[in-house]
């Protein structure tokens, strides 16, 4: 059973637009929700992360919105740029000891 | 990414070959991981080593054999693989424990099994 469900599988956004990627989970024991960014030929790199005691976290153009009651969290990329074109993975973990990843979203930002 | 290195970056092997993947972390972490990344699938956790002790193996076939000689090095020994084992194999490390710590990934080894 997939622990973390991610959508959409792919996303095309115009430069300057907002990119939104969604994830849902079932296990209420998860206490750490990171987003990873992966460029071709590279390993995933942590982009931003949130814990369930806050509903939103913002770092520059990247924001995580977290809805504990709905067991959903999403990544918003404001003013999307061509350099943001990459694959994005959401994940969830319990005490950081085991991570469950979503299937990934391939983002393409068109100039 | 430079904190976790993996070699080789690309590997092509036949089904009867034996090869090893190597991972090294320079971050002082106490946990290391092997993941399998296939197209359109979630990253699959294969093995976890915490303080050099294997804590998870997630029912990985025995043709994959991990080795963790110390907290900085991790190997994945491969033998009699199948074509469906072709994938990107990622190594990661973290400072595991309470609070949920970031996993740092290496660049991966692209494995092709013929």
């Amino acid at each position: 059973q997939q622990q973390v469900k991610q959508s959409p599988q792919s996303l095309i956004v115009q430069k300057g637009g907002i990119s939104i990627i969604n994830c849902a989970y079932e296990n209420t024991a998860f206490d750490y929700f990171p987003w990873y960014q992966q460029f071709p030929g590279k390993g995933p790199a942590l982009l931003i992360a949130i814990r369930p005691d806050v509903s939103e976290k913002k770092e520059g153009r990247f924001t995580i919105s977290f809805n504990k009651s709905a067991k959903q969290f999403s990544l918003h990329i404001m003013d999307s740029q061509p350099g943001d074109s990459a694959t994005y993975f959401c994940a969830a973990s319990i005490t950081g000891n085991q991570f469950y990843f979503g299937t990934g979203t391939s983002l393409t930002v068109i100039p | 990414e430079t904190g976790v290195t993996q070699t080789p970056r690309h590997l092509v092997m036949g089904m009867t070959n034996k090869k090893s993947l190597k991972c090294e972390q320079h971050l002082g972490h106490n946990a290391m991981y092997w993941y399998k990344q296939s197209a359109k699938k979630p990253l699959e956790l294969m093995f976890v080593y915490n303080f050099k002790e294997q804590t998870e193996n997630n029912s990985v076939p025995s043709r994959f054999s991990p080795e963790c000689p110390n907290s900085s090095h991790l190997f994945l020994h491969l033998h009699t693989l199948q074509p469906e084992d072709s994938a990107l194999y990622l190594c990661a490390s973290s400072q595991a424990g309470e609070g949920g710590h970031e996993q740092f990934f290496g660049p991966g080894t692209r494995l092709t099994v013929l």
Side-chain angles (χ1 to χ4, degrees), chain A residues 36-75:
Chain A
Y36 284 83
Q37 179 187 56
Q38 185 177 25
F39 292 104
K42 307 272 188 178
L46 180 68
L47 187 63
I48 186 172
I50 197 168
R51 301 191 191 281
D53 52 346
V54 296
S55 60
E56 185 176 281
K57 183 173 182 180
K58 186 174 182 179
E59 289 184 2
R61 297 185 292 110
F62 301 91
T63 300
I64 299 179
S65 296
F66 186 82
N67 186 329
K68 190 173 182 178
S69 60
K71 293 186 285 186
Q72 296 175 346
F73 58 111
S74 58
L75 175 69

